Amino acid sequence: MKPAERAPESTEPIDSMTINKQDFTQKFGKVERVHANVAYKPSTAPFNGVTTMQRDFPARVCLRREASFKPVHKYAPSDVMFETQTTAQMEYRSWPVHRRESPAWATRGQYVPSKSAFSAISSYHDDYVEPKSVVRAKPIRPQAPEMSITSGDHKASFANGTTHNSAYVQWTNASPAKSFKVQSQYEPPIAKFEAQSTFRSHYTGKYVPPARICKPSLKDYAADELTKPMNAGTSYLEAFTGEKPKPCPASKIDKSATLKVTKAGHTLVTQDA
């Protein structure tokens, strides 16, 4: 095996200039304080507990509540006596079921116990003959033969050597291979170590005014704006006029007619005779 060629080592000091330092030049900006140390001054005005929801949607005090349109229903008890028999009891009655009779061949006879005394001797005891002498059984498993190679009358011993051991024999008087790794000693750089990173040197903090609060102040809401009536006009009503509805025939009545308004809010027209 041919050893790798050793690269020539440089004797010049290491160059600390990188591609990042060459492409991105350092920018210096004026660092200003974002937040000033302002002492907190509590407000002298009394606390206003009215929320934005309560200010935008005031309560309607004089609004009349709608009456219930559910008709009045009174319970009327029945004079007829309650019938306990149901429709299911009248239509579905018990069906007479006859008892099933088994055929003659399937019937079992009545058990009749034996009158003779119980015999504890079984047929095995009658047929079994106790032997006079017991002969031990021979093992069925054959014995392993001796591992030997026989060729005629000559008997050779088993060879423990393998083909790999006979083909690859260990060399004698051979020196081990030397390492091709280049042993280099660490040399510290001559340039001074910079503790500041590239990110800190390129990206410096700049003053940005804080964002304004989007919540409107209480001064924008005038007292007269809350008391104005609600504008019921919508963009749909202004854009889509549609056809003019036909007038109600009840509006063209004689002066002799009488209008009556019920508690539920219905208007009834009665023509005087």
Side-chain angles (χ1 to χ4, degrees), residues 27-155:
K27 302 176 181 61
F28 296 96
K30 186 178 180 181
V31 180
E32 299 180 4
R33 191 177 185 85
V34 180
H35 300 283
N37 295 330
V38 181
Y40 171 72
K41 296 180 180 180
S43 177
T44 56
F47 176 72
N48 186 10
V50 181
T51 60
T52 310
M53 178 73 180
Q54 295 176 355
R55 185 173 61 251
D56 295 345
F57 300 94
R60 301 293 187 267
V61 182
C62 301
L63 185 64
R64 185 174 63 87
R65 187 177 181 182
E66 295 291 342
S68 177
F69 298 99
K70 185 177 181 181
V72 181
H73 178 72
K74 295 183 179 180
Y75 173 71
S78 178
D79 300 334
V80 184
M81 296 184 62
F82 181 74
E83 187 176 357
T84 58
Q85 191 175 10
T86 60
T87 310
Q89 293 179 359
M90 292 187 297
E91 295 183 358
Y92 300 95
R93 299 180 182 180
S94 59
W95 188 269
V97 180
H98 300 282
R99 188 176 180 181
R100 181 180 178 183
E101 296 180 0
S102 302
W105 57 268
T107 55
R108 296 181 179 180
Q110 189 177 3
Y111 173 71
V112 180
S114 178
K115 297 180 180 180
S116 58
F118 177 73
S119 178
I121 301 174
S122 61
S123 58
Y124 179 79
H125 289 84
D126 296 340
D127 299 341
Y128 179 75
V129 179
E130 186 177 359
K132 297 180 180 179
S133 59
V134 180
V135 181
R136 188 174 183 180
K138 296 180 179 181
I140 304 175
R141 183 179 178 182
Q143 296 181 359
E146 297 181 359
M147 298 180 65
S148 59
I149 301 174
T150 347
S151 177
D153 298 337
H154 179 71
K155 184 180 286 186

Side-chain angles (χ1 to χ4, degrees), residues 51 87 93 115 119 143 160 184 187 218 228 244 252:
T51 60
T87 310
R93 299 180 182 180
K115 297 180 180 180
S119 178
Q143 296 181 359
N160 295 327
S184 58
E187 296 179 1
L218 297 177
K228 289 183 179 180
K244 185 176 181 180
K252 298 179 180 180

Side-chain angles (χ1 to χ4, degrees), residues 128-237:
Y128 179 75
V129 179
E130 186 177 359
K132 297 180 180 179
S133 59
V134 180
V135 181
R136 188 174 183 180
K138 296 180 179 181
I140 304 175
R141 183 179 178 182
Q143 296 181 359
E146 297 181 359
M147 298 180 65
S148 59
I149 301 174
T150 347
S151 177
D153 298 337
H154 179 71
K155 184 180 286 186
S157 59
F158 180 74
N160 295 327
T162 60
T163 311
H164 180 82
N165 294 337
S166 58
Y168 298 92
V169 184
Q170 185 178 6
W171 291 4
T172 57
N173 300 329
S175 58
K178 295 182 180 179
S179 176
F180 297 99
K181 185 178 180 181
V182 178
Q183 300 293 337
S184 58
Q185 190 176 2
Y186 172 74
E187 296 179 1
I190 305 174
K192 187 178 179 180
F193 176 73
E194 296 182 3
Q196 189 179 13
S197 61
T198 310
F199 181 83
R200 290 185 177 181
S201 59
H202 291 175
Y203 300 94
T204 57
K206 294 184 179 180
Y207 173 75
V208 178
R212 296 182 180 180
I213 301 177
C214 302
K215 183 178 178 181
S217 60
L218 297 177
K219 297 180 181 179
D220 298 340
Y221 292 92
D224 55 347
E225 294 291 338
L226 300 177
T227 57
K228 289 183 179 180
M230 178 180 177
N231 185 13
T234 60
S235 58
Y236 181 81
L237 294 176

Side-chain angles (χ1 to χ4, degrees), residues 46 137 139 261:
V261 181

